[in-house]
């Protein structure tokens, strides 16, 4: 059941997911681990501070100030201060000094005031225990001792004691233990998660390569779900390869069976007298052969051709030179020599590029071919000044046997498979083919293939 929020909230959540949430599975999963881990750490430390730091700190400070108050009360004119010092040192661990009202000002000025976190509770306890006196707390030279000044009407008492009497260092050990175990858990989670994500990434790469005709070896590993997905993909790939192979063999047999009677018919027509009816019949036979070749090329696709590195610049130059020799069409070709090689099926790519450039030569008198590339894609642009294709029919021309002018006359075009074959090849390489208006006034064909 999906919880529905107001439209503004839905837009805000969508924007949050789009811009702030990571897109990869690895970082999303780490976020699911990291956020609860941080919340647990913060709650645990807060609970410890509230239950241990505050209570223990206040109790230790109250005990220390009570001992100091008892020492001050023991110092009367009838009691020798040396005995008070000895008792405070032996029983309470306090070193105490006393300065009368005439000497206390010089002692007060010699101390430098500090404001550390550990003395907060002690300050409150001193104000509560000695409401009529002036009190100050100073840290010692190495910050391990405390100098506590209590200025009373009888004089100034200076107490020296260890910081441990008011501060429990277990908080730092607890925090370090929590952070250390969290980091250890985080590292272990990263190591185990990388194995799972790597398996999924390799599965995605193998599927993408298979779509491009590259048979990448993939061995499933990782969790049971990932293994099942990998095995399912491997079985699917084997079934598809087997079906393509069977289809190709069947079409090869059909081609052989159909070409034999067509060849016999052509031989018989060659022996017959030449007249208009016979010539039209020969043209029909040629048209049938042409349609058969186009159909086999479209259905069989790339067949079992392996993927290799193809120099597209050299391929395009060869195709253009082939048509340039037998045509009076003016052609301009510009290329990028930095990056012109891609991984793909050479014969399939040649067939696709040939179909696109052949259409431009067939319908236009001026052609501009441009090969460009960047870090991620290679783009082939073919412009002509021909009649173009209406925008409403640009999607239909990629359908098999579809022709804009609607006839089957070979004098006005082919059998309607050129662009269909080109799109099939380009898409199988992970690319796109787009038709638009050309600056020359005709049709622009833009082919983009990832490097």
């Amino acid at each position: 059941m999906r919880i529905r929020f107001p439209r503004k909230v839905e837009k805000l959540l969508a924007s949050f997911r789009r811009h702030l949430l990571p897109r990869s599975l690895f970082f999303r999963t780490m976020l699911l681990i990291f956020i609860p881990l941080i919340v647990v750490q913060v709650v645990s430390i807060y609970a410890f501070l509230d239950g241990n730091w505050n209570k223990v700190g206040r109790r230790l400070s109250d005990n220390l100030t009570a001992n100091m108050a008892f020492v001050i009360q023991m110092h009367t004119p009838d009691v020798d201060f040396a005995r008070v010092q000895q008792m405070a040192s032996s029983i309470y661990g306090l070193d105490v000094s006393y300065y009368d009202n005439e000497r206390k000002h010089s002692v007060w000025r010699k101390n430098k005031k500090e404001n550390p976190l550990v003395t907060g509770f002690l300050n409150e306890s001193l104000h509560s225990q000695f409401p009529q006196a002036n009190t100050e707390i100073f840290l010692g030279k190495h910050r391990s001792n405390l100098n506590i000044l209590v200025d009373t009407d009888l004089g100034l008492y200076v107490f020296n004691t260890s910081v441990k009497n008011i501060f429990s260092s277990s908080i730092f050990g607890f925090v370090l233990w929590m952070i250390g175990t969290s980091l250890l858990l985080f590292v272990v989670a990263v190591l185990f998660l990388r194995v799972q994500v790597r398996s999924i990434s390799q599965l995605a790469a193998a599927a993408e390569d298979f779509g491009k005709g590259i048979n990448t070896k993939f061995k499933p590993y990782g969790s049971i779900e990932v293994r099942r997905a990998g095995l399912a993909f491997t079985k699917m790939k084997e079934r598809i390869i087997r079906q393509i192979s069977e289809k190709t063999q069947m079409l090869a047999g059909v081609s052989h069976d159909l070409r034999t009677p067509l060849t016999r018919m052509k031989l018989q027509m060659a022996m017959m007298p030449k007249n208009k009816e016979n010539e039209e019949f020969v043209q029909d036979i040629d048209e049938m052969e042409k349609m058969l070749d186009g159909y086999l090329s479209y259905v069989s696709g790339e067949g079992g051709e392996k993927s290799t590195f193809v120099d597209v610049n050299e391929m395009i130059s060869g195709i253009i030179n082939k048509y340039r020799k037998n045509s009076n069409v003016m052609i301009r070709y510009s290329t990028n020599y930095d990056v012109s090689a891609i991984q793909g099926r050479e014969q399939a790519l040649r067939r696709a590029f040939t179909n696109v450039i052949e259409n431009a030569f067939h319908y236009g008198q001026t052609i501009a071919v441009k090969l460009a590339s960047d870090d991620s894609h290679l783009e082939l642009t073919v412009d002509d000044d021909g009649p173009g294709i209406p925008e409403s029919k640009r999607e239909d021309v990629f359908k098999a046997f579809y022709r804009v002018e609607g006839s089957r006359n070979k004098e006005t075009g082919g059998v309607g498979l050129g662009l269909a074959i080109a799109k099939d090849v380009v898409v199988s390489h992970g690319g796109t083919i787009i038709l638009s208006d050309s600056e020359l006034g005709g049709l622009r064909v833009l082919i983009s293939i990832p490097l």
Side-chain angles (χ1 to χ4, degrees):
M1 180 179 178
R2 183 176 181 272
I3 301 176
R4 294 187 176 276
F5 296 98
R7 183 174 298 179
K8 292 184 178 180
V9 177
E10 289 285 353
K11 290 183 178 180
L12 183 62
L13 293 176
S15 177
F16 174 78
R17 289 192 295 266
R18 190 182 308 111
H19 297 95
L20 297 181
L21 283 181
R23 297 187 176 183
S24 65
L25 175 63
F26 178 80
F27 287 105
R28 285 194 174 188
T29 307
M30 293 310 302
L31 193 63
L32 292 176
I33 297 175
F34 186 71
I35 290 180
L37 193 63
I38 292 297
V39 172
V40 170
Q41 299 300 314
V42 171
V43 172
S44 300
I45 293 175
Y46 177 79
F48 181 82
L49 285 174
D50 183 67
N52 186 286
W53 177 267
N54 291 341
K55 294 180 181 180
V56 174
R58 292 181 186 277
R59 185 170 299 176
L60 291 175
S61 298
D62 292 341
N63 290 337
L64 179 60
T65 55
N67 295 335
M68 292 167 53
F70 181 75
V71 170
I72 293 175
Q73 289 178 3
M74 289 291 295
H75 184 209
T76 62
D78 299 334
V79 179
D80 186 12
F81 185 72
R83 293 182 60 188
V84 175
Q85 286 180 315
Q86 183 181 3
M87 179 191 66
S89 177
S90 59
I91 299 177
Y92 301 120
L94 292 172
D95 294 332
V96 60
S97 301
Y98 171 72
Y99 302 91
D100 56 23
N101 291 328
E102 295 180 358
R103 295 183 300 160
K104 68 180 181 181
H105 300 291
S106 59
V107 176
W108 195 281
R109 287 195 300 266
K110 291 180 180 179
N111 293 279
K112 183 178 179 181
K113 185 177 179 181
E114 300 285 348
N115 188 23
L117 177 64
V118 295
T119 60
F121 298 130
L122 183 58
N123 267 321
E124 296 178 4
S125 183
L126 286 173
H127 291 310
S128 177
Q129 189 68 243
F130 306 102
Q132 303 298 326
N134 294 326
T135 58
E136 292 290 349
I137 304 173
F138 304 95
L139 287 177
K141 182 177 180 181
H142 299 289
R143 294 184 178 271
S144 59
N145 294 327
L146 286 175
N147 292 324
I148 306 170
L149 281 65
V150 181
D151 185 14
T152 65
D153 295 337
L154 299 177
L156 175 65
Y157 292 88
V158 179
F159 295 89
N160 183 271
T161 186
S162 175
V163 175
K164 295 180 181 180
N165 289 332
I166 65 166
F167 176 71
S168 177
S169 59
S170 61
I171 179 63
F172 296 115
F174 175 77
V175 173
L176 290 177
W177 179 79
M178 293 288 289
I179 295 175
T181 53
S182 300
L183 290 176
L184 179 61
L185 176 62
F186 188 77
V187 171
V188 172
V190 169
L191 294 177
F192 277 92
L193 187 61
R194 284 184 62 187
V195 176
Q196 305 302 323
V197 174
R198 188 186 302 118
S199 177
I200 298 175
S201 300
Q202 292 180 0
L203 174 60
E208 185 176 1
D209 290 342
F210 180 66
K212 298 178 182 179
I214 305 173
N215 190 10
T216 303
K217 294 183 179 180
F218 171 73
K219 183 179 180 180
Y221 64 93
S223 63
I224 296 177
E225 292 79 7
V226 177
R227 288 175 182 267
R228 289 179 59 186
L231 291 174
F233 165 74
T234 302
K235 293 179 180 179
M236 179 192 69
K237 183 176 69 173
E238 292 174 354
R239 288 196 298 267
I240 293 175
I241 293 175
R242 184 171 62 253
Q243 291 174 359
I244 292 176
S245 177
E246 293 175 353
K247 183 182 67 174
T248 303
Q249 293 177 1
M250 181 189 68
L251 290 174
V254 171
S255 173
H256 179 269
D257 294 340
L258 291 178
R259 289 179 188 276
T260 301
L262 287 176
T263 303
R264 189 183 304 116
M265 292 170 63
K266 290 181 67 175
L267 290 175
Q268 292 178 356
M269 295 304 301
M271 300 175 62
M272 295 179 67
K274 293 185 178 180
N275 53 47
K276 184 177 180 180
E277 293 181 355
N278 292 342
E279 289 179 357
E280 292 179 352
F281 189 64
V282 171
Q283 291 179 358
D284 291 337
I285 295 176
D286 293 337
E287 183 68 15
M288 291 174 65
E289 287 185 336
K290 187 175 180 181
M291 292 177 63
L292 179 62
D293 292 337
Y295 177 72
L296 291 175
S297 298
Y298 173 73
V299 177
S300 62
E302 67 277 4
E305 185 182 2
K306 295 183 179 180
S307 178
T308 59
F309 280 98
V310 181
D311 189 339
V312 181
N313 178 46
E314 182 179 354
M315 179 183 294
I316 299 299
S317 299
I319 296 173
I320 292 175
N321 291 333
K322 173 184 174 181
Y323 287 98
R324 181 181 286 166
K325 294 178 181 179
N326 302 320
S327 175
N328 296 324
V329 176
M330 185 178 70
I331 182 169
R332 299 192 304 269
Y333 177 50
S334 60
T335 183
N336 178 8
Y337 292 96
D338 295 334
V339 181
S340 62
I342 61 174
Q343 187 175 12
R345 299 178 296 278
E346 183 175 2
Q347 295 303 322
L349 289 173
R350 184 183 300 276
R351 185 184 305 121
F353 297 154
T354 300
N355 290 346
V356 173
I357 295 176
E358 182 180 12
N359 284 344
F361 271 96
H362 182 80
Y363 292 105
Q365 295 298 318
T366 302
I367 301 174
V369 180
K370 180 180 179 182
L371 184 65
S373 60
D374 53 23
D375 295 335
S376 59
H377 287 80
L378 184 141
E379 292 185 349
L380 174 66
T381 306
V382 180
D383 292 287
D384 63 61
D385 60 349
I389 298 177
E391 186 175 355
S392 60
K393 297 183 179 181
R394 287 174 184 171
E395 291 295 329
D396 296 331
V397 295
F398 292 114
K399 298 177 181 178
F401 300 108
Y402 180 86
R403 295 181 58 194
V404 177
E405 52 88 24
S407 71
R408 293 292 182 185
N409 186 357
K410 67 178 182 179
E411 299 298 331
T412 60
V415 296
L417 288 173
L419 289 178
I421 294 174
K423 183 176 182 179
D424 182 65
V425 172
V426 171
V427 172
S428 68
H429 283 78
T432 58
I433 179 169
I434 301 174
L435 305 182
S436 60
D437 295 328
S438 171
E439 296 179 354
L440 300 179
L443 181 67
R444 164 172 289 184
V445 182
L446 174 61
I447 298 176
S448 177
I449 300 177
L451 297 177

